[in-house]
Amino acid sequence: MHINCCPCISGEMDSGDRSDLISPTTSSPPSHIVTIPFPGRGHINPMLSLCLLLSPKTLTVTIIVTEEWLNIINSDHPSPSLPSNLQIRSIPNVLPSERTRGSNYTEFFNSVMSKMADPVQRVLDELNPPVDVVIGDALLPWVAGICEKRNVSAVSLWTESASSFYALYKFDQLDAAGGLPEDFSGKCPPLFVECVFLAFWWF
């Protein structure tokens, strides 16, 4: 399942009453939704916006970020401005810094794919109440494997435009038409290589 959410890079985010989005029965225990964004502003802001929309009083919402991003979020949105049932948990800074990742994006992306999953699972082990649903960024395919092991529902959040998603969905047709280079090494920008990876992973 993919949810398209327009990025909100700056400005205040509306956290008005959206209890109509989720209506659990009063006899059921509170649900716990955990969100795991890709560590980048264009991904964390949309995920945080979604968390604010999914935070009626009967729902617990947790967003998991790196320690570096926790400091950035706290500086942008002090804790008192967040709903009491929205908590932010952090994992160690196992990735290259946000300040320097642009100098070697390939290393950063590979670290996200290989080093984030284990500390995220340790955070999930500590959560109370246990997680019912995990919403992971579409750039984090390993989230689905974590959910499968825990037997919890997984949802994918697509933070980019619908046209970008459609282009990846039709990626095989572009390849069949000869629109891709035979050798990607040294010829393509990191973001394009990232998109190629996603296309083959998801579709």
Side-chain angles (χ1 to χ4, degrees), residues 94-110:
V94 295
L95 311 174
S97 172
E98 178 68 15
R99 296 180 178 84
T100 60
R101 68 172 187 161
S103 61
N104 192 342
Y105 188 80
T106 300
E107 178 188 2
F108 172 79
F109 186 78
N110 289 337

Side-chain angles (χ1 to χ4, degrees), residues 13 15 52 73-74 76-84 86:
M13 291 173 287
S15 58
L52 292 173
I73 292 172
N74 284 337
D76 291 343
H77 305 282
S79 297
S81 68
L82 297 177
S84 59
L86 171 55

Side-chain angles (χ1 to χ4, degrees), residues 10 17 27 53-54 57 61 69 71 76 79 111 116 129 138 156 190 198:
S10 62
D17 183 11
S27 59
L53 292 174
L54 296 177
K57 294 181 179 179
V61 182
W69 267 107
N71 292 332
D76 291 343
S79 297
S111 296
M116 271 189 71
S156 176
L198 285 174

Side-chain angles (χ1 to χ4, degrees), residues 12-22 48-57 81-83 85-86:
E12 295 184 0
M13 291 173 287
D14 180 12
S15 58
D17 183 11
R18 297 301 305 274
S19 57
D20 57 306
L21 295 178
I22 298 179
L48 186 56
S49 296
L50 180 62
C51 289
L52 292 173
L53 292 174
L54 296 177
S55 58
K57 294 181 179 179
S81 68
L82 297 177
N85 57 323
L86 171 55

Side-chain angles (χ1 to χ4, degrees), residues 107-127:
E107 178 188 2
F108 172 79
F109 186 78
N110 289 337
S111 296
V112 172
M113 293 299 111
S114 62
K115 297 181 179 180
M116 271 189 71
D118 286 345
V120 164
Q121 290 195 77
R122 288 194 287 271
V123 171
L124 293 176
D125 289 337
E126 299 170 355
L127 293 179

